[in-house]
Amino acid sequence: MKPSSVLVALLFASASALRLPSLPSRPSFKRTAGIKPLRASGLYDPANVPNAEECDIAQPTNCGEPDGPFAGITRTLNELQEKGFGAAALLGATAVSLSLANGPSSAWWVGLWESPLGPAIGGHALSARAWVNEGLMGVFFFLVGLEIKEELRHGALTSVKKAALPAIAALGGMVTPMAVYAAAQGFLPVAARSLSGLAVPMATDIAFAMAIFGLFRSKMPASSSAFLLTLATVDDFGAIFVLATCFAANVSLGFLGLASALTAALGWIGCGPRKCNDARVFTAGGVGIWWSLLRAGVSAEVAGVLAALCVSTTAEGPPGAIEDPLAERMIRRLAPLSTFGIMPVFALANTGIPLMGVMKGVSGPGAGAAAGIAAGLVLGKPLGIFGFTWLATKLNIADMPTGMGNNHLSIVSMLGAIGFTMCLLLTEVAIPAPIQALPKLSVLVASTAACVAAAAWMSKLPDLKQRRAQPGDLYG
């Protein structure tokens, strides 16, 4: 059997192991009246609003009822996302890309993503893969940026006390994988050692991890959802910082200054006295920042985060939509686009790995990077998240969220090892193109292993009858 057939079968088996549930009918959801005034007063606590759950990218149905001509489709896709079908779409796209890259159409498929497409920008034409990684991923990062902004203003990052434990967990989940990566190089032949992928295993795929968690939400305490989402948000913020600062090349200070000026202007428009509520303004501003960063030599997808941080979380939608803040409206509209559109396309563009060619490079630096990435994700991530969290609670720096025990923390730590799209993106910019194939394969295998392990672990837990957060829960 061909290696590609084995890996594709593994991916499909992983999807089957998730046991995606059927989608039940559900009543129309509308956010509880009175949340916004409580938020404005600074007294908002979800434990005091029994029927309300926080709006976030993992639960877009909590962001209000969709409107517009595509409301029905948006509602259905958001519900499908919360049931874990986004993970299945991502795995399916990966299996398709691997199959095409190792079949009779291999040369066409690989060449398709490397071919120049569209107008030249800054003197060079972007390939189809670059448009996906630098362009479409900007929309995904915009969504991540909205989540960061929501957490900073209304979630678990509003105070040092709330942010302490998930931030410490995220720190452990970033530094420990890199330490394990570096340590792994010492066990390899000199010719195979490589530090080029040192930053790759630091990242967590927030969308994929939350999708797997969502399949077993009834088996985990409510506080663990917010804990995982917050640590993954901080983790992604760290990865975005690395993308923006460590992999910039031939930086143009003029265009970097233009991007800064556009960001400042957009921030004043969005968060100034008038608090702009027009999504088109942020779209235009984001495109301007994206173009400036691309010309400046900085990872242009970071423009999505910068534009999102300029959106006010209290800016309302059209007149009459008093419970429809712009940030939440954009989350519920963009979440299905990202989950069922951008992420699968990213997988198609970046996981077309010719496996026969990979086998020829098992003794070179690509092998060292691959071994370090696998060890960093499968060992370093869970050890870092669990170890730093456990130590912080033992030193009384922070308290474990209500309802969470070491068993739940271990599962969250394993979910943090799902690197997938974020690790693939870091692989693209950190590791030289000729040796990327084996490290990419390592990301896929390690992430799949973490996904299956976490899913199997959660499937053994009993259902929790009472999942509502209790008063005093730091993340409730």
Side-chain angles (χ1 to χ4, degrees):
M1 183 178 290
K2 294 182 178 180
S4 60
S5 302
V6 175
L7 189 55
V8 169
L10 176 62
L11 288 169
F12 276 120
S14 301
S16 300
L18 301 181
R19 294 185 291 183
L20 297 176
S22 58
L23 184 67
S25 59
R26 57 180 289 162
S28 174
F29 179 85
K30 187 66 180 175
R31 291 181 65 83
T32 304
I35 294 178
K36 193 171 152 188
L38 283 172
R39 279 183 167 178
S41 68
L43 300 176
Y44 175 67
D45 181 354
N48 298 327
V49 189
N51 296 322
E53 292 186 35
E54 279 293 88
C55 166
D56 57 55
I57 62 176
Q59 300 182 86
T61 56
N62 291 340
C63 299
E65 187 67 19
D67 52 5
F70 302 105
I73 296 176
T74 301
R75 183 185 305 109
T76 299
L77 290 178
N78 282 336
E79 292 174 354
L80 287 170
Q81 174 187 330
E82 293 185 10
K83 294 297 180 181
F85 285 86
L90 196 58
L91 288 172
T94 301
V96 168
S97 187
L98 279 169
S99 298
L100 290 173
N102 292 277
S105 57
S106 174
W108 167 80
W109 182 250
V110 174
L112 172 67
W113 297 105
E114 296 176 350
S115 303
L117 179 67
I121 299 179
H124 65 278
L126 296 178
S127 66
R129 180 181 292 112
W131 277 109
V132 173
N133 294 352
E134 298 274 3
L136 281 181
M137 286 300 286
V139 180
F140 169 76
F141 278 105
F142 182 83
L143 195 59
V144 172
L146 288 175
E147 179 62 37
I148 293 172
K149 186 66 177 283
E150 285 282 338
E151 292 294 329
L152 287 169
R153 294 303 304 274
H154 307 303
L157 298 179
T158 54
S159 68
V160 174
K161 182 179 179 180
K162 285 185 176 182
L165 195 61
I168 290 171
L171 178 63
M174 288 187 279
V175 299
T176 308
M178 291 192 289
V180 170
Y181 179 105
Q185 303 308 305
F187 296 92
L188 300 173
V190 175
R193 295 175 185 175
S194 172
L195 291 178
S196 60
L198 183 65
V200 173
M202 69 175 289
T204 296
D205 188 327
I206 184 172
F208 206 150
M210 292 304 300
I212 302 304
F213 179 90
L215 293 172
F216 304 95
R217 189 178 299 275
S218 64
K219 295 175 176 288
M220 296 285 285
S223 58
S224 63
S225 175
F227 183 80
L228 173 60
L229 181 63
T230 306
L231 83 84
T233 301
V234 176
D235 189 298
D236 280 359
F237 189 80
I240 292 164
F241 179 79
V242 169
L243 277 171
T245 57
C246 298
F247 299 112
N250 302 318
V251 176
S252 169
L253 295 180
F255 283 107
L256 192 60
L258 177 59
S260 300
L262 289 173
T263 303
L266 192 62
W268 185 85
I269 292 171
C271 299
R274 297 183 65 87
K275 296 189 186 307
C276 175
N277 61 18
D278 192 338
R280 294 170 296 183
V281 172
F282 295 98
T283 301
V287 171
I289 298 170
W290 174 85
W291 181 83
S292 301
L293 289 178
L294 190 65
R295 294 297 306 271
V298 178
S299 295
E301 64 271 16
V302 177
V305 176
L306 295 177
L309 293 177
C310 296
V311 177
S312 170
T313 57
T314 58
E316 300 176 4
I322 60 172
E323 295 297 338
D324 190 21
L326 175 62
E328 298 185 2
R329 180 157 48 100
M330 298 177 84
I331 287 176
R332 72 167 180 255
R333 290 179 177 178
L334 292 177
L337 173 63
S338 174
T339 300
F340 297 104
I342 295 172
M343 291 293 97
V345 171
F346 177 86
L348 289 173
N350 290 279
T351 60
I353 306 169
L355 298 182
M356 295 307 295
V358 167
M359 303 308 167
K360 299 177 182 178
V362 293
S363 60
I373 290 169
L377 284 175
V378 176
L379 297 177
K381 267 288 186 182
L383 286 176
I385 294 173
F386 185 95
F388 274 53
T389 304
W390 181 85
L391 187 61
T393 58
K394 291 300 179 182
L395 295 177
N396 294 320
I397 297 174
D399 296 325
M400 187 75 80
T402 301
M404 274 187 66
N406 287 337
N407 195 30
H408 304 114
L409 178 60
S410 299
I411 292 171
V412 169
S413 301
M414 186 58 69
L415 287 169
I418 303 175
F420 216 94
T421 54
M422 290 297 294
C423 288
L424 288 174
L425 191 61
L426 285 169
T427 300
E428 280 283 324
V429 299
I431 299 176
I435 62 171
Q436 282 182 4
L438 196 55
K440 282 186 174 182
L441 185 61
S442 178
V443 169
L444 294 181
V445 173
S447 296
T448 300
C451 168
V452 172
W457 200 335
M458 286 187 287
S459 69
K460 302 298 183 182
L461 298 178
D463 284 339
L464 299 179
K465 300 297 183 182
Q466 181 68 21
R467 294 183 53 251
R468 182 179 301 167
Q470 299 299 317
D473 183 353
L474 291 178
Y475 311 104

